[in-house]
Amino acid sequence: MTPARRRLVALAALVVVVAAGLVAAKVLPSSAATDIAGDALYAVAVYTGLVLLLPRVRRLILAIAATGWCVFVELLQLSGLPVALAERVPPIALVLGTGFDTRDLVVYASAVLVAAAADAAVTSRVLRRGRSTVCP
């Protein structure tokens, strides 16, 4: 898959993931399930955003970077800084969260793994389809 095509796919996926995350945050009742879904969508959005910015970088590196970012943000919540910032600018809570939860670390890693696997599957399918349409 060309970097331009990978970017286009990542952009489409990112729009869907962010929209789903906003709907989950604003419409669905607060529960453990919606919290987990929101965390997973956040991690997928981070991974997909990295693909959009860096389409030539290997999936493993993107997955490590996305997981690292998510872990950083979760640990930052221990400082209280995200809460203070969210009090001044409420949308910041969507990016930085507000409360540390160990479970989130597992959700982030799992969601990034699924996102990287989906990325690999889409790339593989596009490459197979491209080969089957090429005249010998």
Side-chain angles (χ1 to χ4, degrees):
M1 178 183 300
T2 67
R5 180 112 184 228
R6 191 167 184 221
R7 268 196 174 113
L8 186 60
V9 171
L11 177 60
L14 186 58
V15 167
V16 170
V17 168
V18 169
L22 291 173
V23 167
K26 299 298 179 192
V27 175
L28 299 176
S30 182
S31 70
T34 56
D35 183 51
I36 290 169
D39 293 337
L41 289 167
Y42 177 82
V44 171
V46 171
Y47 177 86
T48 307
L50 288 173
V51 172
L52 181 64
L53 294 172
L54 306 164
R56 290 184 170 94
V57 175
R58 292 178 45 210
R59 277 179 213 83
L60 177 61
I61 301 302
L62 294 174
I64 290 168
T67 304
W69 170 260
C70 292
V71 168
F72 168 76
V73 168
E74 194 66 26
L75 293 176
L76 183 65
Q77 292 169 8
L78 291 170
S79 74
L81 180 62
V83 171
L85 292 172
E87 287 173 358
R88 296 176 193 253
V89 184
I92 285 180
L94 295 172
V95 177
L96 298 180
T98 55
F100 177 82
D101 187 345
T102 307
R103 176 189 64 204
D104 294 351
L105 300 173
V106 175
V107 173
Y108 294 144
S110 301
V112 168
L113 182 63
V114 169
D119 182 17
V122 168
T123 301
S124 175
R125 181 176 175 156
V126 168
L127 290 175
R128 277 195 318 268
R129 186 182 307 162
R131 285 188 202 122
S132 66
T133 60
V134 174
C135 296

